[in-house]
Amino acid sequence: MTLVLKATGVTKSFGGLKAVQNVSIEAHAGQVLSIIGPNGAGKTTFFNCLSGIYPLDSGTVELAGKRINGLAPHQVSRAGLSRSFQNIRLFPEMTVLQNVLVGRFSRSPRQILASVLRTRSWRREEDKALARSKELLEFAGLSARAQAWARALPYGLQRRLEVARALATDPKILLLDEPGAGMNPQEIGEMMGLVKSIANLGIAVVVIEHHMKLVMEISDRIVVLDHGEHLAEGTPEEVRRNPRVVEAYLGRSEDQHG
Amino acid sequence: MSKSPLATRLAVIAGLLVLTAPFLWTKLDPDFNTGFVSLSLAPSNAIQFLSVVLPAAVVGWLLAGIGFLWGRFGPTKPVIATGSQKLFESPRLLVATCAVLAGFGFFMSAKFLSLGTFVCIHMMLAIGLNVTIGFTGLLVLGYAAFYATGAYAFALVAHACPWFPTWAALPVGFLVAASTGFLVGLPCLRLRGDYLAIVTLGFAEALRELLRNLPQTGGDMGLLVPTSARIQSLGPVGQAQASWIAAVAVTLFVGLVIHRLYHSRIGRAWIAIREDETAAAMMGIPVVRLKLLAFSVSAGIAGVPGAFFAGFAGFVDPSTATFEQSVLILAMVILGGIGSLPGSILGALVLYLVPTLLRDWFPAISDYRLLFFGAILVAMMLFRPQGLCGSPRHKLELEGKS
Amino acid sequence: MRALLFALMLEILVNGLARGAIYALIALGYTMVYGILGMINFAHGEIFMLGMFGAVYALGALGSAGLMAVGITLPLAIVAAMVFSAGFGILNERIAYRKLRGAHLLAPLTSAIGMSIVLQNFVMLSVTKGKVDFPRAIAAPLADTTWTFGSWDLSSIQATILSVLPDVWARWMASKWVVQSVHLSALQLLIFAITLGLMGLLFWLIQRTRLGIALRAVAQDRTMASLCGMKVDGLITLTFALGSALAASAGVMVSMYQGVLRFDAGYMMGLKAFTAAVLGGIGNIPGAVIGGLLIGLAEDLTSFTIASEWKQSTAFAILILVLWLRPRGLLGERVADKV
Ligand SMILES: Nc1ncnc2c1ncn2[C@@H]1O[C@H](COP(=O)(O)OP(=O)(O)O)[C@@H](O)[C@H]1O
Ligand SMILES: [Mg+2]
């Protein structure tokens, strides 16, 4: 198991509100790490901290041994961390294929003049990006919709497109923020299958998810957050048995999600 | 909403009538002896104003109606957009178009050619502005400042070195305007997009103040471009023809460059930034750097027609940097369609030709021009944000998500 | 020499603060709308200009009705201008912005620019391209009542400057820097009084009333506020009305100060007031006041020390500097932005 991401003591407050307090995680290549916790526990904020969208109050984030906290989001992405968003943030006025092509930005060479002159090497790079993007659409099951407008996709496919687009940056680690939110049980099942197959590619996957049954099925490890704090961690079995977790989260969640 | 749409609409109209009434229906009579002022009814005022605005509004509605019917029953394929796609994708077609348009030059009067040259200049301006507004989604208000930068840059260079070849005007205009744009954009492109609008507006005002007060730039009179640096006749090709041919060629070239940039990695990154900045950054796009690039390219493209204008008209003056000029270019982009290259070309054609041609019949039109441009900006945003050529889908995004 | 500098500073302070108070009044409108809608209300400068005209039309109507006493007509005209501008502000929001709420930033901004152009040209075409005089009989009693403080005989200082410095510099300095006394007019006092009064009222409204709490809630999170049962549309309308009324009061005072008004008066004024709002931190209400005062002072300093031709560019230079060095403004911006 290779360690891909190591976050230590991540802390972030908004004014008086401590959204994330001293949270540490480790994510390994080819494994699925789930983050669970009630709404408002600070899961999304934690992702925002990892991906460079919010500066940390304290703590460090290391990606493959290099510090990435303090870097801007695009540098974090270049370093190999990619993510999806809880509230879908596609590029609605681009086609599905173009959305994924945008993800190839940092993995293709800078060729401004060449793109104006349309040199042969530019064409080659363009074809390469195109081929890789189509491959990813195939992987995410979106090939048939490649030329559709992203906005016109049904909700479930928009979530899949976010995942495909995030993969286009060739990440070492992928953060997925509630990829199954708002989906029907069958779609959630398919999404979790996709998550598992991403991990099988050797990418470290960190998932925020509410659907407990699936979380238990796909996760290698689970981290539980509550009120911004690291409440528990372990294998699905350990977490399920942890009385603090049952008290703090599972009971309430069962009520909420019925 | 508690009130019905009709009731609110009536209330808005009533409010408009009441609030505009003093301006339209009354006249101020200052009494210079006592220093007081009184008010009297003056319907002639309103009649004069409405006699221009109402017919124009009716024509506007009719055109909108035709546009609506065209959208309903016309060809389903976006004719103009596909046409432009074909034109700029095929070098052969492009050269042929250029040759045909240039050929026209030999059958037209000099007056007509000069009009055509100005249309080309405005097409380039609209294409350039579209790079920031349309591709990257950043509003630029003082765009004419970069037009003036290009024009003055060439005029000053031509003064300093009289041997300077005319064709070199274009790269000089581009480089100087692009670097100016870079410097102006540097402080504000890190921030929310709307700051750029105000900063460029302020820059245009400051630049005009500078051009009018500096001794080197000739004050309000401007500068004459030395004859040797102007566009000249070549054998059988008269000066008007030469200008027209050059204008067509340069415009098509600028269009080609922008078309190719748009359909490349950079162009996709620009659109991504327009659509969602945070998501774009998360895709590894250095947002600030690409915005700066877009804005510099945009400013640089304004410098090209600027320098061209200097070589064509033979003079430059501070009026190239007026707010009115900026608004004209903005209205062209908005009318044609934000983000659409053929849209900018069409917008420039319509908004330059219509007022110019109408001026012969209705001299009053030049006073009302700006009023109509403003109205176009508002009306397009409210009723057809995708512009004449934009895809209807773009509309959804501009109109809001919920 | 010390007396000279003191007088100079006082003069700059009085003029600069009077000017700055005006900017602050207008900047409040920018900042309030930005705080609540996240857009630059580009037409706000025109609302200011409409306030100028509103006051003169009101004075004209009162004059036609035979009312001439300054003590009555001026307050009435100010109120009328505020109502008039508030009406325009509300209509403007209703017509040009409401439909575009939640759209891409570009849409309301473009619409606002269009509105600004339309309003400006409407006034130009329906009233006049030239200047309109503010009724002298109303402004003069205030503008001409001046108090003079200090009376220094500075001829020796002037002579010293002339003898010490190189010729060009000396003449320039002697003509600009020698202030023999400080003037304060009743009009300036009125500007201070009205500005302070209106701002006090605004702060009271925002900090101390339920309406103010609702306004602040809407500015923080519109969706949440509407879920809590607040009438968001109404509150936004109110914001426009308040901002417009403040701008109108500034308009009346500027037109009295200058004695004339023009259709394009709102253009530069709007640009500078916006700069003031950015300087203070956009969306931040105390920031707008401080920003306004600072810009006013800076402009007067520029005309004293450099040259009055460059006064117009001062605001722009400040804008660039602020954006460069302290983009969130002096007091910090207050704009909700969530990922
Ligand atoms: N930008 C922000 N400003 C202020 N408070 C925030 C911000 N983002 C999140 N919060 C607060 O931080 C807490 C954690 O939120 P979040 O990370 O979204 O929770 P989760 O994703 O676990 O549901 C919540 O109380 C939320 O209101
Ligand atoms: Mg969340």
Side-chain angles (χ1 to χ4, degrees):
Chain A
M1 277 200 321
T2 32
L3 179 66
V4 177
L5 182 99
K6 185 170 150 78
T8 323
V10 173
T11 302
K12 175 78 195 169
S13 337
F14 297 108
L17 175 83
K18 290 184 175 161
V20 176
Q21 281 184 71
N22 198 20
V23 174
S24 308
I25 62 162
E26 288 185 358
H28 299 274
Q31 296 218 332
V32 178
L33 173 71
S34 289
I35 298 185
I36 62 172
N39 279 326
K43 305 180 297 290
T44 299
T45 306
F46 183 57
F47 269 16
N48 286 339
C49 290
L50 296 184
S51 51
I53 287 175
Y54 294 152
L56 302 187
D57 291 347
S58 65
T60 57
V61 183
E62 280 176 20
L63 180 65
K66 286 203 195 79
R67 262 178 75 141
I68 58 164
N69 55 308
L71 295 185
H74 72 269
Q75 294 165 320
V76 171
S77 165
R78 256 159 213 262
L81 182 148
S82 196
R83 68 171 286 185
S84 72
F85 295 89
Q86 182 175 350
N87 46 342
I88 302 180
R89 301 186 76 148
L90 291 169
F91 307 122
E93 293 310 311
M94 298 176 98
T95 64
V96 168
L97 181 62
Q98 283 170 337
N99 263 275
V100 182
L101 272 170
V102 169
R104 298 301 300 164
F105 184 88
S106 54
R107 305 296 173 215
S108 28
R110 196 182 327 181
Q111 294 185 310
I112 300 182
L113 214 60
S115 68
V116 171
L117 298 175
R118 299 240 160 137
T119 59
R120 196 168 299 160
S121 74
W122 175 81
R123 265 175 215 289
R124 207 181 311 122
E125 287 299 334
E126 193 76 0
D127 288 343
K128 251 200 265 175
L130 209 61
R132 173 81 180 126
S133 303
K134 286 186 174 157
E135 212 177 284
L136 285 166
L137 285 182
E138 181 79 52
F139 180 72
L142 285 165
S143 289
R145 304 287 195 128
Q147 296 306 330
W149 293 104
R151 172 178 293 289
L153 281 188
Y155 185 80
L157 294 188
Q158 290 198 1
R159 287 239 177 251
R160 295 179 87 86
L161 177 53
E162 263 218 342
V163 176
R165 185 183 67 176
L167 281 175
T169 61
D170 291 347
K172 295 189 184 78
I173 177 163
L174 183 63
L175 314 182
L176 299 174
D177 196 346
E178 304 200 13
M183 289 180 166
N184 64 34
Q186 189 204 337
E187 285 174 323
I188 297 184
E190 287 167 11
M191 175 56 82
M192 292 307 141
L194 183 64
V195 170
K196 200 76 203 160
S197 54
I198 293 170
N200 288 340
L201 294 175
I203 294 171
V205 184
V206 185
V207 193
I208 296 174
E209 188 49 69
H210 280 304
H211 201 286
M212 290 316 299
K213 202 160 143 264
L214 284 160
V215 168
M216 295 297 165
E217 268 170 36
I218 63 164
S219 311
D220 294 293
R221 289 184 77 75
I222 297 178
V223 169
V224 187
L225 293 190
D226 191 26
H227 289 109
E229 285 181 88
H230 188 288
L231 189 73
E233 177 168 2
T235 63
E237 206 48 38
E238 289 163 4
V239 168
R240 202 202 307 267
R241 292 221 200 91
N242 188 325
R244 289 174 72 194
V245 177
V246 175
E247 185 199 344
Y249 178 68
L250 289 181
R252 261 187 303 183
S253 170
E254 298 292 82
D255 292 347
Q256 269 173 20
H257 295 275
Chain B
M1 232 115 304
S2 51
K3 274 186 253 171
S4 76
L6 184 69
T8 13
R9 206 164 282 187
L10 285 179
V12 166
I13 292 174
L16 261 184
L17 290 180
V18 170
L19 287 178
T20 54
F23 295 102
L24 285 177
W25 301 97
T26 69
K27 194 160 70 67
L28 289 167
D29 305 307
D31 182 335
F32 292 106
N33 293 323
T34 60
F36 282 105
V37 68
S38 57
L39 209 59
S40 56
L41 278 181
S44 62
N45 214 355
I47 292 168
Q48 196 195 345
F49 181 77
L50 295 177
S51 70
V52 179
V53 171
L54 284 184
V58 170
V59 172
W61 276 116
L62 283 180
L63 287 178
I66 293 174
F68 177 76
L69 291 178
W70 174 263
R72 258 292 157 82
F73 305 110
T76 44
K77 260 193 173 175
V79 182
I80 299 171
T82 16
S84 135
Q85 180 78 17
K86 281 210 183 97
L87 175 67
F88 287 114
E89 279 300 327
S90 146
R92 241 181 266 161
L93 196 58
L94 199 66
V95 171
T97 312
C98 188
V100 170
L101 284 176
F104 276 141
F106 296 97
F107 305 100
M108 300 294 172
S109 68
K111 183 165 171 264
F112 191 87
L113 288 179
S114 144
L115 183 65
T117 309
F118 272 111
V119 170
C120 285
I121 286 177
H122 284 88
M123 281 180 179
M124 285 187 256
L125 288 171
I127 291 172
L129 183 58
N130 199 10
V131 172
T132 12
I133 296 193
F135 297 174
T136 332
L138 296 166
L139 193 52
V140 178
L141 282 184
Y143 192 59
F146 302 106
Y147 177 51
T149 306
Y152 271 91
F154 177 54
L156 289 171
V157 168
H159 267 282
C161 10
W163 43 265
F164 206 72
T166 310
W167 61 265
L170 304 179
V172 166
F174 180 86
L175 287 177
V176 175
S179 349
T180 314
F182 179 81
L183 291 178
V184 173
L186 206 53
C188 54
L189 282 173
R190 289 172 300 157
L191 315 171
R192 277 175 53 118
D194 42 8
Y195 281 122
L196 186 69
I198 295 280
V199 168
T200 51
L201 182 67
F203 170 68
E205 284 309 311
L207 181 75
R208 217 149 52 89
E209 201 160 275
L210 208 68
L211 293 176
R212 294 172 57 175
N213 287 328
L214 284 182
Q216 291 86 349
T217 48
D220 279 325
M221 299 299 295
L223 289 174
L224 281 178
V225 178
T227 329
S228 60
R230 294 185 202 172
I231 299 176
Q232 278 151 1
S233 50
L234 257 176
V237 186
Q239 201 216 354
Q241 274 102 353
S243 307
W244 160 251
I245 294 169
V248 168
V250 176
T251 307
L252 285 175
F253 176 73
V254 168
L256 178 74
V257 169
I258 294 307
H259 173 86
R260 289 188 163 182
L261 274 182
Y262 180 71
H263 291 280
S264 77
R265 169 177 172 271
I266 301 286
R268 285 192 296 266
W270 283 340
I271 309 286
I273 291 171
R274 179 189 77 193
E275 301 278 295
D276 191 327
E277 237 178 273
T278 310
M282 229 38 254
M283 289 300 109
I285 295 170
V287 172
V288 177
R289 217 178 305 155
L290 272 150
K291 278 185 185 173
L292 252 182
L293 178 69
F295 185 56
S296 308
V297 167
S298 187
I301 288 175
V304 172
F308 190 92
F309 171 81
F312 164 64
F315 72 94
V316 291
D317 67 19
S319 74
T320 39
T322 52
F323 182 55
E324 181 169 357
Q325 180 70 33
S326 296
V327 170
L328 172 65
I329 309 168
L330 178 65
M332 288 167 176
V333 173
I334 300 286
L335 181 73
I338 297 172
S340 154
L341 175 62
S344 302
I345 294 176
L346 184 75
L349 189 73
V350 172
L351 283 192
Y352 193 80
L353 279 187
V354 172
T356 315
L357 294 179
L358 281 182
R359 201 160 48 195
D360 292 343
W361 293 300
F362 311 105
I365 202 79
S366 34
D367 281 343
Y368 283 79
R369 209 163 73 129
L370 215 51
L371 181 79
F372 293 139
F373 291 162
I376 286 177
L377 293 184
V378 180
M380 292 306 281
M381 282 302 116
L382 293 180
F383 303 116
R384 203 180 153 84
Q386 78 274 30
L388 294 181
C389 287
S391 75
R393 287 205 172 74
H394 202 116
K395 190 175 164 194
L396 292 168
E397 180 215 359
L398 281 162
E399 267 187 3
K401 280 154 188 165
S402 45
Chain C
M1 196 70 185
R2 223 194 276 157
L4 169 76
L5 272 179
F6 179 67
L8 181 68
M9 268 160 52
L10 259 183
E11 179 90 8
I12 291 177
L13 206 65
V14 170
N15 288 334
L17 284 182
R19 187 191 295 282
I22 301 277
Y23 293 152
L25 277 177
I26 310 171
L28 281 170
Y30 277 109
T31 236
M32 278 158 54
V33 168
Y34 202 101
I36 212 159
L37 285 183
M39 68 171 281
I40 301 175
N41 177 14
F42 205 84
H44 192 58
E46 269 54 55
I47 300 289
F48 156 86
M49 176 272 293
L50 288 166
M52 294 175 138
F53 280 85
V56 177
Y57 276 103
L59 286 172
L62 291 170
S64 299
L67 259 179
M68 307 272 179
V70 177
I72 304 169
T73 52
L74 185 59
L76 280 180
I78 295 179
V79 172
M82 289 169 78
V83 172
F84 189 67
S85 281
F88 266 106
I90 291 170
L91 276 186
N92 189 17
E93 189 269 335
R94 182 64 245 207
I95 296 174
Y97 306 156
R98 186 165 297 183
K99 198 180 165 205
L100 301 173
R101 248 185 244 160
H104 192 284
L105 204 60
L106 207 57
L109 203 53
T110 309
S111 187
I113 286 151
M115 248 349 200
S116 146
I117 297 165
V118 167
L119 288 173
Q120 206 182 102
N121 283 273
F122 168 69
V123 173
M124 180 191 92
L125 293 164
S126 64
V127 184
T128 170
K129 272 186 194 176
K131 290 173 179 160
V132 171
D133 290 308
F134 191 90
R136 184 166 36 83
I138 308 285
L142 287 163
D144 295 348
T145 312
T146 55
W147 296 278
T148 307
F149 300 97
S151 172
W152 297 280
D153 179 14
L154 301 169
S155 45
S156 61
I157 295 174
Q158 212 157 349
T160 323
I161 294 178
L162 284 169
S163 62
V164 172
L165 286 172
D167 200 32
V168 186
W169 276 75
R171 229 178 289 140
W172 178 66
M173 277 192 55
S175 67
K176 284 200 185 295
W177 283 42
V178 174
V179 179
Q180 276 158 346
S181 49
V182 177
H183 305 280
L184 178 68
S185 71
L187 187 54
Q188 281 171 326
L189 277 185
L190 183 72
I191 291 181
F192 290 134
I194 290 187
T195 311
L196 279 178
L198 287 177
M199 283 177 188
L201 218 61
L202 181 74
F203 281 112
W204 172 78
L205 182 82
I206 288 181
Q207 297 295 340
R208 289 290 144 83
T209 63
R210 289 177 51 118
L211 200 61
I213 296 177
L215 275 177
R216 280 182 286 155
V218 173
Q220 269 192 3
D221 192 332
R222 218 183 311 151
T223 327
M224 204 58 201
S226 90
L227 287 178
C228 294
M230 292 177 196
K231 297 207 175 70
V232 172
D233 281 340
L235 288 167
I236 291 178
T237 302
L238 179 72
T239 308
F240 273 85
L242 284 177
S244 305
L246 292 179
S249 67
V252 183
M253 287 180 277
V254 171
S255 46
M256 290 210 301
Y257 207 64
Q258 298 178 338
V260 289
L261 40 152
R262 257 171 73 113
F263 69 95
D264 59 359
Y267 176 60
M268 264 326 234
M269 208 52 144
L271 196 57
K272 290 179 191 172
F274 174 78
T275 304
V278 172
L279 175 60
I282 195 122
N284 187 319
I285 289 180
V289 177
I290 291 179
L293 294 178
L294 286 179
I295 299 263
L297 283 175
E299 278 193 353
D300 265 74
L301 263 177
T302 324
S303 25
F304 267 107
T305 53
I306 305 175
S308 57
E309 296 93 66
W310 298 106
K311 201 162 76 183
Q312 305 292 346
S313 297
T314 313
F316 175 66
I318 292 178
L319 180 62
I320 291 281
L321 277 180
V322 176
L323 292 181
W324 188 286
L325 301 173
R326 209 180 157 82
R328 291 180 177 273
L330 296 176
L331 301 195
E333 67 181 24
R334 303 248 170 94
V335 183
D337 192 13
K338 287 208 171 128
V339 176

